[in-house]
Amino acid sequence: MLDTKWIRENPEAFDTALKNRGLKPLSQDIIALDEERRSAIQSVQEMQNRRNVLAKEIGTLKAKGENADELLKEAGHLRDKLPQEEEKVRHLEEKLKALLDVLPNVPSKDVPIGTSEKDNQEVRLWGEKPSFSFTPRQHDEIGEGLGLMDFEASAKMSGSRFVVLKADLARLERALGAFMLEVHTQEYGYEEVSLPYIVRPHAMYGAGQLPKFTEEAFVTTNDFWLIPTGEVPLTNLVAGEILDLESLPLRFVANTPCFRSEAGAAGKDTRGMFRTHQFHKVELVSITTPEASEKEHQRMLKAAESIPERLKIHYRTVILCTGDVGTCSQKTYDIEAWLPGQNMYREISSCSNFGEYQARRMNTRFRDAAKKTRFVNTLNGSGLAIGRTLIAILENYQQEDGSVIIPDVLRSYMRGEALIKAEKVKK
């Protein structure tokens, strides 16, 4: 959520930010609505003050035995009109809040201006693309060839965009989660947290998922929401809190299932397990001060990048342009792994700085050195998306006979095995 005071004081900057996101200017609409709201509030306050004055004056006149009819008439008029004015204030506040709730964050000044992912800028390239003496297969062909990736079984019980992993692939998925948690807790100081996978609407709202992304989420009949990412419960750990400066930064990590309807991705990535309704992800969340926010963002990005580097998977890091950066984010880096079977880079992590956007929705603050209460900054990043990392391993470590080499750093989690052997290979 954005600060209306900032919008009033920086209307041109706000409209420019919206324009760079491909949206129409809204500063004058918001300012006009806010002025109307403030005027209504002032009117209510004046009427309440007048009511109090009248009550005293009427009491004084009656005590003296004097006529108070005119004042009583005015008091009656106020008594009838005040609820209407108070209702007007509530209506204007709800209207303004509904508008602010769906407004996107203002991108940082160093975010490149652009309209789509084509305008994202590469900031880092690590490793080299693997070479093959055969035509590399895509992950679903490899997994089905191994007999360990079953889309038919999942479709029978759950429909499309689900997958069943078996034996060594199920073990590899579990190994990846354990490996990532170990790196982030032991080497980067994140605190591991076990979380609820369903939350109430206020938690989804605080993280910026509602009302903007209602159609992208799954909700139960009694108004519980399945988390679309571990970011939601992790960030809400500090909802409504006033934190001590000495406690910051807070760094949390969790491995959770994620549930997404993918309503906005109809017809996109329908093959394989790249975009499914249910997947596992290791999520990083940091809570810090505005002054330390950018440094924390770079630190989080480094932690996420360390995972493909240890797995020896070629990747690139890009900074998202204004037209591609997420609604809640003011700055986002994507880590994109090279997938030989698809012959392209695909996202396996996003690391975002939200500034005060989520903190304002959650009312999460801290006391600075001067004991002034201010909003914290929140950051989150995938460390990494486990299913997509598994895809990257299958495609980068595939062998001509259909088997898959297990990266060195994962073998201790895989009972010492170095290879996932093929039971059958699609020719």
Side-chain angles (χ1 to χ4, degrees):
M1 178 178 289
L2 300 181
D3 182 10
T4 52
K5 180 182 178 182
W6 183 88
I7 295 173
R8 289 198 309 270
E9 295 175 351
N10 302 274
E12 293 183 2
F14 172 66
D15 284 341
T16 298
L18 292 180
K19 178 182 177 182
N20 290 339
R21 280 182 174 270
L23 302 172
K24 66 178 182 179
L26 287 172
S27 65
Q28 295 310 308
D29 293 345
I30 293 172
I31 291 172
L33 183 58
D34 188 43
E35 286 179 349
E36 187 180 1
R37 177 189 67 89
R38 294 166 74 189
S39 177
I41 291 173
Q42 183 178 354
S43 177
V44 167
Q45 291 173 341
E46 290 174 352
M47 292 173 70
Q48 290 171 336
N49 291 337
R50 180 59 182 162
R51 180 187 59 187
N52 294 336
V53 169
L54 286 172
K56 291 181 180 179
E57 291 180 351
I58 291 169
T60 300
L61 289 174
K62 286 186 174 182
K64 294 179 179 180
E66 298 178 5
N67 188 297
D69 289 350
E70 287 300 319
L71 296 183
L72 286 168
K73 182 177 179 181
E74 183 181 353
H77 176 70
L78 283 176
R79 185 175 59 251
D80 294 337
K81 189 176 180 181
L82 186 56
Q84 298 175 14
E85 290 299 306
E86 290 173 334
E87 178 59 31
K88 181 179 178 181
V89 170
R90 284 193 290 271
H91 172 72
L92 290 170
E93 287 180 337
E94 290 174 0
K95 188 175 180 180
L96 180 60
K97 182 178 181 297
L99 182 54
L100 293 174
D101 278 348
V102 297
L103 283 179
N105 206 343
V106 175
S108 298
K109 293 180 180 179
D110 57 344
V111 171
I113 297 174
T115 59
S116 70
E117 61 182 20
K118 295 180 180 178
D119 299 311
N120 297 341
Q121 295 181 6
E122 183 180 293
V123 298
R124 189 171 300 107
L125 194 67
W126 186 91
E128 297 180 355
K129 297 176 182 178
S131 59
F132 298 90
S133 59
F134 58 94
T135 302
R137 307 175 185 87
Q138 293 196 37
H139 72 278
D140 55 318
E141 186 178 359
I142 298 167
E144 289 179 322
L146 291 167
L148 304 178
M149 185 180 291
D150 194 335
F151 295 100
E152 291 183 4
S154 61
K156 288 178 182 178
M157 67 181 88
S158 304
S160 62
R161 292 190 186 270
F162 290 93
V163 64
V164 171
L165 300 179
K166 303 175 182 177
D168 281 349
L169 286 192
R171 191 173 299 118
L172 181 60
E173 181 183 54
R174 175 160 52 90
L176 281 167
F179 164 67
M180 293 174 189
L181 287 173
E182 194 73 10
V183 170
H184 295 313
T185 57
Q186 298 304 307
E187 300 190 30
Y188 290 94
Y190 286 87
E191 179 182 1
E192 184 176 355
V193 184
S194 179
L195 297 158
Y197 302 152
I198 56 175
V199 295
R200 285 298 193 186
H202 70 269
M204 291 283 282
Y205 172 82
Q209 296 293 322
L210 297 180
K212 180 75 172 180
F213 302 106
T214 301
E215 293 185 357
E216 294 294 327
F218 288 107
V219 60
T220 68
T221 54
N222 57 345
D223 206 24
F224 280 99
W225 294 75
L226 280 66
I227 61 170
T229 165
E231 168 202 343
V232 173
L234 282 176
T235 305
N236 273 276
L237 287 174
V238 295
E241 299 288 331
I242 299 179
L243 305 169
D244 293 328
L245 179 62
E246 295 74 18
S247 70
L248 302 177
L250 296 173
R251 300 183 178 115
F252 304 123
V253 62
N255 178 11
T256 70
C258 306
F259 306 92
R260 299 183 185 179
S261 71
E262 296 294 349
K268 186 177 182 181
D269 291 315
T270 56
R271 175 175 177 173
M273 56 176 284
F274 192 84
R275 193 180 300 276
T276 53
H277 291 309
Q278 175 185 309
F279 57 93
H280 283 81
K281 180 158 61 77
V282 170
E283 190 75 5
L284 307 171
V285 163
S286 293
I287 314 295
T288 190
T289 65
E291 292 77 12
S293 184
E294 174 60 22
K295 184 177 180 180
E296 185 68 20
H297 196 188
Q298 297 301 323
R299 185 185 189 276
M300 176 180 285
L301 178 62
K302 182 179 179 182
E305 289 176 332
S306 74
I307 302 299
E309 289 176 9
R310 293 161 196 260
L311 295 171
K312 298 180 180 179
I313 292 173
H314 170 58
Y315 73 86
R316 69 177 183 181
T317 298
V318 299
I319 182 172
L320 303 193
C321 71
T322 54
D324 196 33
V325 69
T327 297
C328 302
S329 175
Q330 63 182 27
K331 182 178 180 180
T332 296
Y333 294 100
D334 274 5
I335 301 172
E336 300 178 343
W338 175 251
L339 300 185
Q342 296 189 33
N343 194 38
M344 63 189 302
Y345 292 99
R346 299 302 303 267
E347 176 205 334
I348 57 172
S349 171
S350 280
C351 293
S352 300
N353 187 343
F354 297 128
E356 299 177 355
Y357 192 90
Q358 291 177 323
R360 287 184 175 277
R361 300 170 77 97
M362 298 187 302
N363 194 29
T364 302
R365 296 161 291 166
F366 74 103
R367 289 190 180 91
D368 63 17
K371 302 304 178 183
K372 181 181 178 182
T373 302
R374 301 161 58 196
F375 286 105
V376 299
N377 275 202
T378 62
L379 304 93
N380 87 283
S382 313
L384 308 166
I386 294 175
R388 294 187 178 187
T389 306
L390 187 147
I391 289 172
I393 290 173
L394 293 180
E395 295 200 11
N396 281 274
Y397 282 91
Q398 63 179 296
Q399 302 298 294
E400 189 170 9
D401 66 356
S403 62
V404 177
I405 294 174
I406 298 171
D408 292 343
V409 293
L410 296 179
R411 293 179 185 177
S412 62
Y413 300 91
M414 295 288 290
R415 302 174 183 172
E417 296 177 7
L419 192 71
I420 299 177
K421 297 180 181 179
E423 295 179 1
K424 55 183 180 179
V425 182
K426 291 187 176 181
K427 302 295 185 182

